[in-house]
Amino acid sequence: MRFRDGQWLVAEGMRVEYAEEVYRITETPSGKGLSLLCPTRKIMTRGDVLNLATISIDIEPAFDGCLSVSTTHWQGAVQRGPDFDLFPAGQPDVPSQVAKSEKGTTISAGSLSATISSKPHEFDISFHSTDNKKQLTTLLNRSIGFAYSPATSNPMQTADMRNLKHYIFTQTTLGVGESVHGLGERFGAFNKVGQKVDLWNSDGGTSSDQAYKNISFWMSSKGYGIFIDTPERVELEIGSERCCRVQTSVEGQRLKWYIIYGPSPREILQKYSILTGKPGNVPSWSFGLWLSTSFTTSYDENTVNSFLDGMKARDIPVEVFHFDCFWLKAFQWCDFVFDDDMFPDPKGQIARLKANGTVKKVCVWTNPYLGQASPVFAEAVAKGYLLKRKNGDIFQWDMWQTGMGIVDFTNPAACDWFVSCLEKLFDIGVDCIKTDFGERIPSEDVQWFDPAVDPKKMHNFYAFIYNKLVYETLQKRFGANEAVLFARTATAGTQRFPLTWGGDCESTPEAMAESIRGGLSLGLSGFSFWSVDIGGFEGYPEPWIYKRWVAFGLLCSHSRLHGSNSYRVPWTVDNDDASAEGCSATLAAWTHLKARLMPYLFSQAQEAVKNGIPLSLRAMCIEFPDDPTAWTLDRQFMVGDSLLVAPIFEETGTVEFYLPKGRWTNFFTGEAKSGPAWFTETHTFATLPLYVRENTLLVLGKPGEKRTVYDYVKDVEVRSYFAVDGARASLVDSTGKEVGTLQVKDGQLSGKEVLMGNYVITVASE
């Protein structure tokens, strides 16, 4: 939302008022913070306080390194939910420290402070490290205010607000060269400076400015992050209205955000996870290859068997088989009942799949909508399970499913019904759930079962309650660390219910690059686990694109083959090319490599959850925050702490990538290179730039290992890459429990007593 026309003029149709000075500072009602009374004109005489709006700004410590900033115009406005579920593990204690000096009044929360300037008739609030070594950002003149649209000319007009929109906004300063990242799974430019971003969940694909997963958190290259504490629509002008400021605005009377001081990206994300929750754990089996039927393809039990038998014959292990939409009867999505014409014996079919060893787990597609052609639609209407319009009608439209209704998760009975449907699926052998959709939730002309909720806030927040319900149902059935979703929509806090995938992308190299940018941005928004439709969702991928996408997709934390109107089994892509360069051989090779990487991947997954950081895709700036180039890299990523991956987008196999400072070793050839430097390489389909960071102890499964779940300390290979004293590798079992640590001490490798069987230790050489 833009409130100005250039630097000098107010935008047409807007009336804007700003906090012009800090007139008075008092304690907040909690007694822990400072409340600033800020009039919208400078107070020079006693008469200036009349017929005047003021803005209240409350600054309070949240925990060490985090302050909250609440801005309010009219404090009598009703505060409707839903609200984000903050501090799910409890809020840490932090003493409030307030000090006064010639410069002003300073409030501190451990390592982070805010100083309100003491200069008369001035508005200046600076955020900085408590030791004053790091200046972060500032609220300067005309940086906090509110606006009316259409513009009012007389205060009496605000007696009737029914036809007036009221916005409140803040503008934090952007420093020279500062970049902004995150804000969910965004597919545009990695650095958000210069962009207008609306945080409003939408089903817009991967080639637009819309996003399935809008997360109201962003990170600055200057060492801080900002979390905007509301699930309603938030509009950001990131150096796009005023080039030197990030403007945040909402329609309403209040705006609250938290500023988090790192200073490193790791610390920022770790502290952000205190606010909104740490990512949930995922089981080791979920890291294996997932194979989908694809979306609009026709399939039955014979089709499924042919896929799995074909994969087995080509030496491609499949861990999870996914039944996409048409496991359900047409027009009846989603009533949780297998189409008996195509699947007369779903329980028996699933049992047979698992018994013959072609697959270990089964997933099915669901969504929170119900087509009126389903026999259960009338029951759901009668029992009040569906969202209503204000006149009492069921909210229906013909988007997606004919006469579709939306499950109202503010109704406890509707939640119980939805859970009962899931449990029936578990009873027949389903192990995990793809929670599709949840973005197109109406915000106008709707009445929720809970009358206290704000429909505009419910639009984004629906993703949280939808995925939370399914995830916790899975946990109850299978165990706390055995639950897995495959979700498309998310909001802040949804990282607690893994995992998510990147939505509908085209089968092009450009779309693969878009997906990578989306995964990187989501990782910088607190999500540890992420996947993508390997080969692209829309269209028919060329064999070379499919194979390059396979290499990228098997180095994401989770890996799924999925398409729209065409299958993604490899032999359908290249007419069953049986050569070493064919799609089948390429998929087999990368699936086997991921299996070998499991001791490293699953150990790193535990650290990712603990610290609230991405496993893969991990942006380079997380590992190399002091390298300015790392903040610009959007075509490569880290997998955990030690592996660098640069996907290939050219049919020729040529790729340009960057290695930060230090020695890096090619995983495949053992060749070492030194950074910081850019490199260009050309690769076959069996390789890509996969480089191991120096000072790494990399634990791998034995050569030829093809399983996802096995003993991660037995018959392993330990590779030492220029490891010096202090280098370490945590060893975990297939449940994620730490069983030991390898560490270099006095030039020797300690902790080997945990290793079992015929383990091998190799040392990289110059």
Side-chain angles (χ1 to χ4, degrees), residues 25 98-107 114-119:
I25 302 176
V98 176
K100 293 185 178 181
S101 67
E102 292 182 358
K103 292 184 177 181
T105 302
T106 298
I107 180 170
T115 297
I116 301 102
S117 173
S118 61
K119 293 182 180 179

Side-chain angles (χ1 to χ4, degrees), residues 25-27 31-35 59 61 95-101 104-109 113-114 116:
I25 302 176
T26 58
E27 281 190 352
K32 296 180 178 179
L34 299 178
S35 185
I59 305 175
S96 174
Q97 296 182 339
V98 176
K100 293 185 178 181
S101 67
T105 302
T106 298
I107 180 170
S108 301
S113 294
I116 301 102

